[in-house]
Amino acid sequence: MILPKKMKLLLFLASQMAVFVLFILLYSHNFNSLQMKEEPKPTYMHVLILSSWRSGSSFVGQLFGQHPDVFYLKEPAWHVWMTFTQSTAQRLHTAVRDLIRAVFLCDMSVFDAYMKPGPRKQSSLFQWEGSRALCSPPACNIFPRDQIIPQAHCKLLCDQEPFEVVEKACRTYSHVVLKEVRFFNLQVLYPLLRDPSLNLHIVHLVRDPRAVFRSREHTTRELMIDSQIVMQQHLQKLKKEDQPYYAMQVICQSQLEIYKAVQSLPKALRQRYLLVRYEDLVRDPLAQTARMYKYAGLKFLPQLQTWVHNITRGKGMGKHAFYTNARNALNVSQAWRWSLPYEKVSRLQKVCRNTMNLLGYHLVTSEQEQKNLSLNLLSTWSPYEQVYQEG
């Protein structure tokens, strides 16, 4: 069949039009794809500083909390424990985990279950003044957002802000960092590690148990309720002089189990775990802070470098057990060596031997070794290299 010339022309034009439309569609798709690549959605980071009492976690919390990209809260699970003081740490694990998840997602209504009903202020939060984010806009307009803010100044000037500003402030940050000492195993956190709504990374801070023990002796009254919850079912059976050692046994065992549990995680999840020894941090604070910042995707800004240097090179042992202020951090880390009787050290080493060996803390076998400060008791082997390999 022979088509008329006009029909041939129409078919030719139609085919050319189809090619043109197809070209436009392909170009539009590629252009949109390119735009998506050039303008990625912001990546939110959730960092949990996982530690135990008197391990330097308040200091590490401040290292993160003073960064202008970080919304930080200190021990939000304190509210759970203080609500259920007759319970046990294990029974409260799920409630603590659920609260942590909600706070990571900036849902502060979770505190309704643990605070008195009615109007509240942001100062209702446990040690809220340790959060630079709650002392700067939009939570409090007194201090600029990129300034290093002393806790005492914040507590004095920002304590009357309504509780609603906590959630409002949280939603303006790319990083949410929480410090918590009330987890005793890693398994309870598995659902959070696998939660697609979270980008959870764990910084596991450990410290020489002998230093922890010495520090706990100086804060016995402040930690009394926490210690009772830790020892709950055994409290009545233990002699008073044995209680501090049992509490340390629980703490050491939990740190050991957390570290070991990481080994069984899939590789992708192991990359979300970073082990930090407090002693490494105080020996080289700038390098170790840079390491933690890199892990969390934060820039180590010049003003923060200066602050970290100054805060770890002060004089004395610090003015307040629970506040981060200028002190000689290296001397603080070794204070147990000249202040703790060897009898206590020896007994504690028996309780925490396995944890100390695994994490690279050398045992002392005499009072002379203990007081010989030229003897290095920290292994040069870095246990964190077995878990998290920095790129």
mmCIF file of all heavy atoms in Angstrom, residues 121-123 125-132 134-136 140 142-143 149-161 320 323:
data_model
loop_
_atom_site.group_PDB
_atom_site.id
_atom_site.type_symbol
_atom_site.label_atom_id
_atom_site.label_comp_id
_atom_site.label_asym_id
_atom_site.label_seq_id
_atom_site.Cartn_x
_atom_site.Cartn_y
_atom_site.Cartn_z
ATOM 1 N N LYS A 121 9.028 24.538 83.830
ATOM 2 C CA LYS A 121 10.085 25.320 83.203
ATOM 3 C C LYS A 121 11.167 24.368 82.710
ATOM 4 O O LYS A 121 11.235 23.213 83.138
ATOM 5 C CB LYS A 121 10.660 26.335 84.187
ATOM 6 C CG LYS A 121 9.663 27.415 84.613
ATOM 7 C CD LYS A 121 10.306 28.390 85.574
ATOM 8 C CE LYS A 121 9.387 29.585 85.824
ATOM 9 N NZ LYS A 121 8.079 29.197 86.369
ATOM 10 N N GLN A 122 12.026 24.859 81.822
ATOM 11 C CA GLN A 122 13.099 24.001 81.339
ATOM 12 C C GLN A 122 14.031 23.600 82.479
ATOM 13 O O GLN A 122 14.686 22.564 82.429
ATOM 14 C CB GLN A 122 13.881 24.679 80.218
ATOM 15 C CG GLN A 122 14.742 25.862 80.609
ATOM 16 C CD GLN A 122 15.654 26.280 79.456
ATOM 17 O OE1 GLN A 122 15.629 25.698 78.376
ATOM 18 N NE2 GLN A 122 16.471 27.292 79.676
ATOM 19 N N SER A 123 14.040 24.392 83.538
ATOM 20 C CA SER A 123 14.862 24.075 84.703
ATOM 21 C C SER A 123 14.332 22.868 85.472
ATOM 22 O O SER A 123 14.960 22.426 86.443
ATOM 23 C CB SER A 123 14.967 25.287 85.634
ATOM 24 O OG SER A 123 13.684 25.760 85.999
ATOM 25 N N LEU A 125 14.277 20.015 84.163
ATOM 26 C CA LEU A 125 15.138 18.930 83.698
ATOM 27 C C LEU A 125 16.366 18.786 84.589
ATOM 28 O O LEU A 125 16.941 19.783 85.047
ATOM 29 C CB LEU A 125 15.590 19.182 82.259
ATOM 30 C CG LEU A 125 14.565 18.918 81.159
ATOM 31 C CD1 LEU A 125 15.082 19.449 79.831
ATOM 32 C CD2 LEU A 125 14.253 17.433 81.047
ATOM 33 N N PHE A 126 16.785 17.562 84.779
ATOM 34 C CA PHE A 126 17.958 17.268 85.595
ATOM 35 C C PHE A 126 19.193 17.960 85.024
ATOM 36 O O PHE A 126 19.551 17.770 83.868
ATOM 37 C CB PHE A 126 18.180 15.755 85.648
ATOM 38 C CG PHE A 126 19.418 15.331 86.401
ATOM 39 C CD1 PHE A 126 19.525 15.531 87.762
ATOM 40 C CD2 PHE A 126 20.478 14.733 85.729
ATOM 41 C CE1 PHE A 126 20.662 15.135 88.455
ATOM 42 C CE2 PHE A 126 21.616 14.332 86.413
ATOM 43 C CZ PHE A 126 21.709 14.540 87.780
ATOM 44 N N GLN A 127 19.820 18.787 85.844
ATOM 45 C CA GLN A 127 21.049 19.510 85.492
ATOM 46 C C GLN A 127 20.983 20.100 84.082
ATOM 47 O O GLN A 127 21.914 19.989 83.282
ATOM 48 C CB GLN A 127 22.261 18.596 85.671
ATOM 49 C CG GLN A 127 22.469 18.200 87.125
ATOM 50 C CD GLN A 127 23.831 17.603 87.418
ATOM 51 O OE1 GLN A 127 24.726 17.586 86.582
ATOM 52 N NE2 GLN A 127 24.003 17.108 88.633
ATOM 53 N N TRP A 128 19.873 20.753 83.805
ATOM 54 C CA TRP A 128 19.620 21.353 82.496
ATOM 55 C C TRP A 128 20.673 22.386 82.116
ATOM 56 O O TRP A 128 20.961 22.588 80.930
ATOM 57 C CB TRP A 128 18.242 22.030 82.515
ATOM 58 C CG TRP A 128 18.219 23.187 83.480
ATOM 59 C CD1 TRP A 128 18.012 23.126 84.825
ATOM 60 C CD2 TRP A 128 18.477 24.555 83.179
ATOM 61 N NE1 TRP A 128 18.116 24.372 85.393
ATOM 62 C CE2 TRP A 128 18.402 25.275 84.396
ATOM 63 C CE3 TRP A 128 18.760 25.252 82.002
ATOM 64 C CZ2 TRP A 128 18.601 26.651 84.470
ATOM 65 C CZ3 TRP A 128 18.955 26.627 82.071
ATOM 66 C CH2 TRP A 128 18.875 27.312 83.293
ATOM 67 N N GLU A 129 21.253 23.052 83.118
ATOM 68 C CA GLU A 129 22.203 24.132 82.832
ATOM 69 C C GLU A 129 23.480 23.633 82.172
ATOM 70 O O GLU A 129 24.290 24.429 81.682
ATOM 71 C CB GLU A 129 22.545 24.896 84.115
ATOM 72 C CG GLU A 129 23.320 24.103 85.161
ATOM 73 C CD GLU A 129 22.429 23.303 86.098
ATOM 74 O OE1 GLU A 129 21.228 23.128 85.784
ATOM 75 O OE2 GLU A 129 22.932 22.855 87.153
ATOM 76 N N GLY A 130 23.658 22.311 82.143
ATOM 77 C CA GLY A 130 24.807 21.747 81.441
ATOM 78 C C GLY A 130 24.618 21.691 79.939
ATOM 79 O O GLY A 130 25.520 21.268 79.218
ATOM 80 N N SER A 131 23.464 22.128 79.467
ATOM 81 C CA SER A 131 23.184 22.121 78.030
ATOM 82 C C SER A 131 23.314 23.530 77.464
ATOM 83 O O SER A 131 22.488 24.401 77.758
ATOM 84 C CB SER A 131 21.770 21.582 77.764
ATOM 85 O OG SER A 131 21.427 21.727 76.401
ATOM 86 N N ARG A 132 24.327 23.755 76.650
ATOM 87 C CA ARG A 132 24.490 25.056 75.998
ATOM 88 C C ARG A 132 23.267 25.387 75.151
ATOM 89 O O ARG A 132 22.861 26.553 75.034
ATOM 90 C CB ARG A 132 25.752 25.042 75.121
ATOM 91 C CG ARG A 132 26.006 26.327 74.326
ATOM 92 C CD ARG A 132 26.759 26.036 73.044
ATOM 93 N NE ARG A 132 26.160 24.947 72.301
ATOM 94 C CZ ARG A 132 25.063 25.070 71.558
ATOM 95 N NH1 ARG A 132 24.456 26.230 71.437
ATOM 96 N NH2 ARG A 132 24.572 24.019 70.927
ATOM 97 N N LEU A 134 20.208 24.919 75.756
ATOM 98 C CA LEU A 134 19.118 25.484 76.550
ATOM 99 C C LEU A 134 19.469 26.856 77.109
ATOM 100 O O LEU A 134 18.652 27.468 77.803
ATOM 101 C CB LEU A 134 18.750 24.525 77.689
ATOM 102 C CG LEU A 134 18.206 23.162 77.253
ATOM 103 C CD1 LEU A 134 17.824 22.323 78.464
ATOM 104 C CD2 LEU A 134 17.011 23.321 76.312
ATOM 105 N N CYS A 135 20.659 27.320 76.794
ATOM 106 C CA CYS A 135 21.111 28.631 77.267
ATOM 107 C C CYS A 135 21.281 29.612 76.114
ATOM 108 O O CYS A 135 21.834 30.701 76.289
ATOM 109 C CB CYS A 135 22.439 28.483 78.014
ATOM 110 S SG CYS A 135 22.428 27.188 79.267
ATOM 111 N N SER A 136 20.846 29.211 74.924
ATOM 112 C CA SER A 136 20.999 30.043 73.732
ATOM 113 C C SER A 136 19.734 29.922 72.886
ATOM 114 O O SER A 136 18.904 29.040 73.127
ATOM 115 C CB SER A 136 22.240 29.601 72.946
ATOM 116 O OG SER A 136 22.158 28.231 72.596
ATOM 117 N N CYS A 140 16.796 30.263 75.026
ATOM 118 C CA CYS A 140 17.073 31.428 75.871
ATOM 119 C C CYS A 140 17.883 32.418 75.048
ATOM 120 O O CYS A 140 18.883 32.038 74.431
ATOM 121 C CB CYS A 140 17.848 31.002 77.121
ATOM 122 S SG CYS A 140 18.295 32.363 78.224
ATOM 123 N N ILE A 142 19.693 34.998 75.925
ATOM 124 C CA ILE A 142 20.728 35.745 76.640
ATOM 125 C C ILE A 142 22.096 35.586 75.978
ATOM 126 O O ILE A 142 22.847 36.543 75.815
ATOM 127 C CB ILE A 142 20.809 35.291 78.112
ATOM 128 C CG1 ILE A 142 19.462 35.497 78.807
ATOM 129 C CG2 ILE A 142 21.915 36.039 78.845
ATOM 130 C CD1 ILE A 142 19.043 36.938 78.934
ATOM 131 N N PHE A 143 22.426 34.355 75.582
ATOM 132 C CA PHE A 143 23.757 34.062 75.047
ATOM 133 C C PHE A 143 23.668 33.705 73.561
ATOM 134 O O PHE A 143 22.718 33.054 73.142
ATOM 135 C CB PHE A 143 24.397 32.888 75.800
ATOM 136 C CG PHE A 143 24.501 33.097 77.282
ATOM 137 C CD1 PHE A 143 23.547 32.564 78.138
ATOM 138 C CD2 PHE A 143 25.548 33.825 77.829
ATOM 139 C CE1 PHE A 143 23.631 32.745 79.507
ATOM 140 C CE2 PHE A 143 25.641 34.017 79.194
ATOM 141 C CZ PHE A 143 24.686 33.480 80.040
ATOM 142 N N ILE A 149 29.401 28.605 76.927
ATOM 143 C CA ILE A 149 28.548 29.162 77.976
ATOM 144 C C ILE A 149 28.803 28.446 79.303
ATOM 145 O O ILE A 149 28.546 27.243 79.421
ATOM 146 C CB ILE A 149 27.063 29.033 77.592
ATOM 147 C CG1 ILE A 149 26.808 29.714 76.234
ATOM 148 C CG2 ILE A 149 26.173 29.635 78.678
ATOM 149 C CD1 ILE A 149 25.404 29.517 75.710
ATOM 150 N N PRO A 150 29.301 29.151 80.320
ATOM 151 C CA PRO A 150 29.498 28.541 81.642
ATOM 152 C C PRO A 150 28.160 28.128 82.251
ATOM 153 O O PRO A 150 27.163 28.849 82.144
ATOM 154 C CB PRO A 150 30.159 29.663 82.460
ATOM 155 C CG PRO A 150 30.724 30.611 81.444
ATOM 156 C CD PRO A 150 29.799 30.538 80.270
ATOM 157 N N GLN A 151 28.146 26.989 82.909
ATOM 158 C CA GLN A 151 26.905 26.471 83.480
ATOM 159 C C GLN A 151 26.321 27.411 84.532
ATOM 160 O O GLN A 151 25.097 27.589 84.603
ATOM 161 C CB GLN A 151 27.163 25.094 84.092
ATOM 162 C CG GLN A 151 27.581 24.046 83.073
ATOM 163 C CD GLN A 151 27.829 22.688 83.705
ATOM 164 O OE1 GLN A 151 26.991 22.169 84.424
ATOM 165 N NE2 GLN A 151 28.987 22.109 83.438
ATOM 166 N N ALA A 152 27.177 27.995 85.342
ATOM 167 C CA ALA A 152 26.690 28.877 86.409
ATOM 168 C C ALA A 152 25.967 30.089 85.835
ATOM 169 O O ALA A 152 24.940 30.529 86.373
ATOM 170 C CB ALA A 152 27.855 29.319 87.289
ATOM 171 N N HIS A 153 26.475 30.638 84.735
ATOM 172 C CA HIS A 153 25.834 31.795 84.102
ATOM 173 C C HIS A 153 24.476 31.403 83.526
ATOM 174 O O HIS A 153 23.495 32.145 83.651
ATOM 175 C CB HIS A 153 26.731 32.350 82.993
ATOM 176 C CG HIS A 153 28.038 32.878 83.497
ATOM 177 N ND1 HIS A 153 28.999 33.422 82.664
ATOM 178 C CD2 HIS A 153 28.552 32.955 84.753
ATOM 179 C CE1 HIS A 153 30.042 33.798 83.379
ATOM 180 N NE2 HIS A 153 29.796 33.519 84.644
ATOM 181 N N CYS A 154 24.438 30.245 82.896
ATOM 182 C CA CYS A 154 23.187 29.771 82.307
ATOM 183 C C CYS A 154 22.130 29.558 83.387
ATOM 184 O O CYS A 154 20.977 29.974 83.240
ATOM 185 C CB CYS A 154 23.436 28.469 81.549
ATOM 186 S SG CYS A 154 21.939 27.724 80.876
ATOM 187 N N LYS A 155 22.523 28.917 84.473
ATOM 188 C CA LYS A 155 21.583 28.616 85.554
ATOM 189 C C LYS A 155 20.996 29.887 86.146
ATOM 190 O O LYS A 155 19.820 29.942 86.528
ATOM 191 C CB LYS A 155 22.292 27.800 86.634
ATOM 192 C CG LYS A 155 21.370 27.266 87.719
ATOM 193 C CD LYS A 155 22.119 26.337 88.653
ATOM 194 C CE LYS A 155 21.171 25.720 89.674
ATOM 195 N NZ LYS A 155 21.881 24.766 90.569
ATOM 196 N N LEU A 156 21.798 30.923 86.202
ATOM 197 C CA LEU A 156 21.367 32.186 86.791
ATOM 198 C C LEU A 156 20.410 32.952 85.883
ATOM 199 O O LEU A 156 19.442 33.563 86.353
ATOM 200 C CB LEU A 156 22.595 33.051 87.099
ATOM 201 C CG LEU A 156 22.341 34.432 87.712
ATOM 202 C CD1 LEU A 156 21.733 34.284 89.104
ATOM 203 C CD2 LEU A 156 23.630 35.232 87.765
ATOM 204 N N LEU A 157 20.649 32.891 84.568
ATOM 205 C CA LEU A 157 19.947 33.787 83.651
ATOM 206 C C LEU A 157 18.861 33.134 82.797
ATOM 207 O O LEU A 157 18.040 33.841 82.212
ATOM 208 C CB LEU A 157 20.971 34.463 82.727
ATOM 209 C CG LEU A 157 22.021 35.334 83.437
ATOM 210 C CD1 LEU A 157 23.100 35.769 82.455
ATOM 211 C CD2 LEU A 157 21.356 36.553 84.066
ATOM 212 N N CYS A 158 18.854 31.805 82.701
ATOM 213 C CA CYS A 158 17.915 31.148 81.780
ATOM 214 C C CYS A 158 16.960 30.178 82.469
ATOM 215 O O CYS A 158 16.290 29.388 81.788
ATOM 216 C CB CYS A 158 18.695 30.401 80.688
ATOM 217 S SG CYS A 158 19.667 31.473 79.598
ATOM 218 N N ASP A 159 16.859 30.228 83.782
ATOM 219 C CA ASP A 159 16.098 29.202 84.495
ATOM 220 C C ASP A 159 14.586 29.403 84.452
ATOM 221 O O ASP A 159 13.836 28.509 84.845
ATOM 222 C CB ASP A 159 16.560 29.108 85.952
ATOM 223 C CG ASP A 159 16.243 30.369 86.735
ATOM 224 O OD1 ASP A 159 16.301 31.464 86.132
ATOM 225 O OD2 ASP A 159 15.930 30.274 87.934
ATOM 226 N N GLN A 160 14.111 30.549 83.966
ATOM 227 C CA GLN A 160 12.672 30.819 83.969
ATOM 228 C C GLN A 160 11.994 30.533 82.631
ATOM 229 O O GLN A 160 10.799 30.780 82.476
ATOM 230 C CB GLN A 160 12.421 32.277 84.369
ATOM 231 C CG GLN A 160 12.816 32.603 85.800
ATOM 232 C CD GLN A 160 12.090 31.727 86.818
ATOM 233 O OE1 GLN A 160 10.862 31.623 86.792
ATOM 234 N NE2 GLN A 160 12.843 31.091 87.704
ATOM 235 N N GLU A 161 12.742 30.017 81.667
ATOM 236 C CA GLU A 161 12.149 29.734 80.358
ATOM 237 C C GLU A 161 11.170 28.564 80.466
ATOM 238 O O GLU A 161 11.410 27.611 81.209
ATOM 239 C CB GLU A 161 13.236 29.401 79.336
ATOM 240 C CG GLU A 161 14.253 30.512 79.120
ATOM 241 C CD GLU A 161 13.627 31.774 78.548
ATOM 242 O OE1 GLU A 161 12.584 31.663 77.862
ATOM 243 O OE2 GLU A 161 14.180 32.865 78.784
ATOM 244 N N HIS A 320 33.893 21.400 91.605
ATOM 245 C CA HIS A 320 32.593 20.749 91.806
ATOM 246 C C HIS A 320 32.622 19.379 91.147
ATOM 247 O O HIS A 320 33.034 19.244 90.001
ATOM 248 C CB HIS A 320 31.478 21.607 91.204
ATOM 249 C CG HIS A 320 30.101 21.189 91.623
ATOM 250 N ND1 HIS A 320 29.497 20.037 91.162
ATOM 251 C CD2 HIS A 320 29.203 21.771 92.470
ATOM 252 C CE1 HIS A 320 28.285 19.924 91.692
ATOM 253 N NE2 HIS A 320 28.085 20.953 92.483
ATOM 254 N N TYR A 323 30.274 19.333 87.960
ATOM 255 C CA TYR A 323 30.374 20.399 86.970
ATOM 256 C C TYR A 323 31.709 20.295 86.251
ATOM 257 O O TYR A 323 32.716 19.891 86.838
ATOM 258 C CB TYR A 323 30.268 21.777 87.629
ATOM 259 C CG TYR A 323 28.854 22.246 87.894
ATOM 260 C CD1 TYR A 323 27.770 21.392 87.729
ATOM 261 C CD2 TYR A 323 28.608 23.550 88.310
ATOM 262 C CE1 TYR A 323 26.478 21.820 87.979
ATOM 263 C CE2 TYR A 323 27.308 23.988 88.565
ATOM 264 C CZ TYR A 323 26.255 23.110 88.397
ATOM 265 O OH TYR A 323 24.974 23.534 88.640
#
